[in-house]
Amino acid sequence: MEKLINSSFMFLYIDPGTGSILISVIAGVLLSLKDFFIDLYFKIISLFIKREYKGTYDFTNELVFFSEGKKYWNVFKPILEHLENMNVKFIFLSADSNDPGLLFNSKKSSSHYIGNMNQAIRILNKLKATMCVTTTPQLDIFEWKYSKNVKHYCYIFHSPIDIHSYKKFAFDYFDSILCTSDYQLKNLRQLEINRNSKKKILMKTGCTYYDLSSSKNLNFKNDCILIAPTWGDRSFFKNSGEILIQSLINYGHKIIYRPHPQSWISDLEILNQIISKFENNPLFSIDKAIDNSISLSKSKAMITDISSGIIYDVAFLYKLPVIAVDFEWDDGGYESSSLDVSASTNYLLKDYGKLIIVEELKHINQFIEEVLNVEITKDIVDKHIFNFKNSGKLASEQILSIFNKL
């Protein structure tokens, strides 16, 4: 009997090598089934949104644009309109079903919603195209991979800010980049030297959404000081906002406080403290509107963080002088930690505005008086950005010149 039992166990035993192979086979089958059901899911979704589905999105030999969502449409629109005028065929892909770009269809172009960002990344990793143009950084760093079936990846900056505030290696694996200023261009070259990474095609392009932008004259009396900080630990306001507001009130300034949208989530406790203390003061008001144009039109100067992306828009479009507050922050994990030079915003503020430290907030009235006498000129604008309000056509031509050589 004992012999029979031992014989039975021998038949149940699988040696480690065979077991490893069996596990690999099972894992492979499961992954194949997963891919099958995900592809089936996208096909079903495409039926409801009435957009063509092409499996792995095979756009071989095509020029493809990818957008994360509608907030980037103003970057792509000037470029695509000029390509349309030149009768150039292209494909527009978006991870946002509400992206206005999905309505940009013609005989020469088509657009496709490819699911939310997680779903889109999976599609992009299998993309087949000659060239992919995007505003999404971090190519080939985490989830988004450099597809072996794409010959060339091009990055477009969606903001004039320097590269310091981007995550490390945000641009290392792109083949070309359309830059907004000499500062970006020089710092990207410096990173290539520091890391001995491949040399990219860097174009002097500009910020394309400025082609669509104009300051709005809403006929308000601009007698307020606008406080528009960023949010979280990268803002001076978290620890010194109350001091600033009180100091401005003491000097008799009318204040508009416009919190960053994320502050209503991440900094809610601080916001409630500020509102509770100052909401009944006639010199204090808080702006919760989505559109910032009314607050800007009512203001004579703005106070924000050195890291804020709004500084350029306020200076170039509204011509408001800016006071930016500098402070120490942990830049580990950001390109700032790999660069020895200051970000471009520092140089802009030397020409138009003022850069101060937290300890100088008690002298804020003095700095306001200083910046109100500063005027932004065309020379200053041209110094800090390429092709102001005239970069969409150039960007389309630069992209096309690269595409035609691939």
Side-chain angles (χ1 to χ4, degrees):
M1 182 68 177
E2 183 179 352
K3 192 173 183 179
L4 181 60
I5 293 173
N6 287 337
S7 298
S8 299
F9 277 118
M10 286 177 64
F11 284 108
L12 294 174
Y13 172 75
I14 301 175
D15 68 88
T18 305
S20 177
I21 294 172
L22 183 59
I23 291 172
S24 298
V25 171
I26 294 172
V29 171
L30 291 174
L31 286 174
S32 296
L33 287 172
K34 176 187 174 185
D35 287 344
F36 170 77
F37 284 113
I38 290 177
D39 285 340
L40 180 61
Y41 166 78
F42 283 132
K43 288 179 181 179
I44 294 172
I45 289 297
S46 68
L47 293 176
F48 288 100
I49 61 175
K50 297 181 180 180
R51 294 204 177 274
E52 182 183 2
Y53 178 79
K54 291 194 173 184
T56 59
Y57 277 83
D58 183 352
F59 297 111
T60 303
N61 300 325
E62 301 287 6
L63 172 59
V64 173
F65 292 83
F66 168 68
S67 173
E68 291 182 54
K70 60 182 179 181
K71 66 181 179 180
Y72 298 105
W73 175 237
N74 60 356
V75 177
F76 290 103
K77 183 181 179 182
I79 300 173
L80 300 186
E81 286 181 339
H82 284 291
L83 288 175
E84 182 78 6
N85 292 337
M86 291 188 287
N87 205 31
V88 174
K89 182 181 179 182
F90 59 85
I91 310 297
F92 182 80
L93 307 179
S94 179
D96 180 0
S97 60
N98 295 314
D99 194 325
L102 295 174
L103 302 177
F104 195 85
N105 283 306
S106 70
K107 293 180 180 178
K108 299 291 290 186
S109 65
S110 63
S111 60
H112 306 268
Y113 169 59
I114 56 174
N116 63 34
M117 195 58 190
N118 289 332
Q119 297 162 343
I121 289 297
R122 182 179 174 280
I123 298 300
L124 291 172
N125 288 347
K126 301 190 295 181
L127 182 68
K128 294 181 180 180
T130 296
M131 184 174 180
C132 179
V133 184
T134 184
T135 56
T136 305
Q138 299 291 105
L139 174 64
D140 218 30
I141 300 299
F142 295 112
E143 294 88 355
W144 185 24
K145 303 302 180 184
Y146 192 117
S147 173
K148 64 181 180 180
N149 296 309
V150 175
K151 292 183 180 180
H152 188 101
Y153 282 90
C154 175
Y155 180 80
I156 309 175
F157 277 102
H158 61 268
S159 168
I161 63 172
D162 212 337
I163 67 173
H164 294 61
S165 58
Y166 284 84
K167 295 285 188 179
K168 273 186 176 296
F169 314 112
F171 314 106
D172 282 28
Y173 298 102
F174 284 95
D175 301 294
S176 62
I177 299 179
L178 307 189
C179 302
T180 68
S181 69
D182 270 322
Y183 299 100
Q184 289 178 350
L185 196 151
K186 290 176 182 177
N187 287 327
L188 286 167
R189 286 284 182 239
Q190 188 59 52
L191 288 180
E192 291 175 352
I193 295 171
N194 294 348
R195 295 169 181 163
N196 195 27
S197 57
K198 71 175 181 180
K199 191 171 184 180
K200 293 172 280 295
I201 300 171
L202 301 183
M203 297 286 196
K204 295 184 177 183
T205 307
C207 194
T208 58
Y209 73 80
Y210 282 147
D211 290 17
L212 309 175
S213 303
S214 61
S215 56
K216 301 176 183 178
N217 183 7
L218 301 179
N219 297 317
F220 287 112
K221 184 178 181 181
N222 54 339
D223 58 351
C224 297
I225 303 297
L226 175 62
I227 304 175
T230 187
W231 61 279
D233 294 331
R234 293 177 60 193
S235 174
F236 78 93
F237 198 82
K238 187 173 183 179
N239 296 317
S240 306
E242 189 173 317
I243 296 172
L244 172 62
I245 293 174
Q246 188 62 62
S247 179
L248 290 170
I249 288 175
N250 290 344
Y251 282 109
H253 290 288
K254 293 173 65 175
I255 302 163
I256 299 175
Y257 171 41
R258 181 177 171 81
H260 190 283
Q262 185 63 32
S263 290
W264 294 102
I265 300 171
S266 302
D267 305 323
L268 187 58
E269 183 178 350
I270 297 171
L271 279 180
N272 287 334
Q273 291 175 3
I274 295 291
I275 294 171
S276 176
K277 181 169 183 177
F278 297 107
E279 64 180 340
N280 294 322
N281 193 303
L283 294 176
F284 177 84
S285 63
I286 188 164
D287 178 17
K288 301 180 183 179
I290 296 175
D291 186 0
N292 62 11
S293 60
I294 293 179
S295 288
L296 287 167
S297 297
K298 290 180 177 180
S299 302
K300 58 183 177 181
M302 183 184 76
I303 302 172
T304 187
D305 301 284
I306 184 61
S307 59
S308 174
I310 199 176
I311 291 175
Y312 287 86
D313 293 355
V314 169
F316 295 162
L317 297 177
Y318 287 87
K319 304 189 184 306
L320 289 182
V322 178
I323 298 173
V325 183
D326 198 3
F327 65 102
E328 291 187 8
W329 59 285
D330 183 8
D331 64 356
Y334 293 89
E335 292 293 20
S336 175
S337 62
S338 300
L339 294 165
D340 295 327
V341 297
S342 299
S344 59
T345 313
N346 295 53
Y347 301 103
L348 173 62
L349 291 167
K350 287 182 180 179
D351 290 333
Y352 185 69
K354 188 76 175 180
L355 180 62
I356 66 174
I357 58 176
V358 171
E359 289 74 18
E360 293 178 309
L361 285 173
K362 58 186 176 182
H363 304 301
I364 191 64
N365 191 60
Q366 170 190 332
F367 299 126
I368 290 173
E369 295 300 323
E370 288 181 20
V371 299
L372 289 180
N373 295 320
V374 179
E375 180 181 356
I376 191 164
T377 63
K378 183 179 183 301
D379 288 341
I380 292 176
V381 174
D382 291 342
K383 177 181 176 181
H384 293 279
I385 194 162
F386 298 132
N387 307 301
F388 182 59
K389 290 193 174 185
N390 192 31
S391 60
K393 183 175 185 293
L394 177 61
S396 66
E397 293 170 350
Q398 290 171 336
I399 291 169
L400 196 57
S401 70
I402 295 172
F403 178 79
N404 288 335
K405 294 175 183 177
L406 297 175

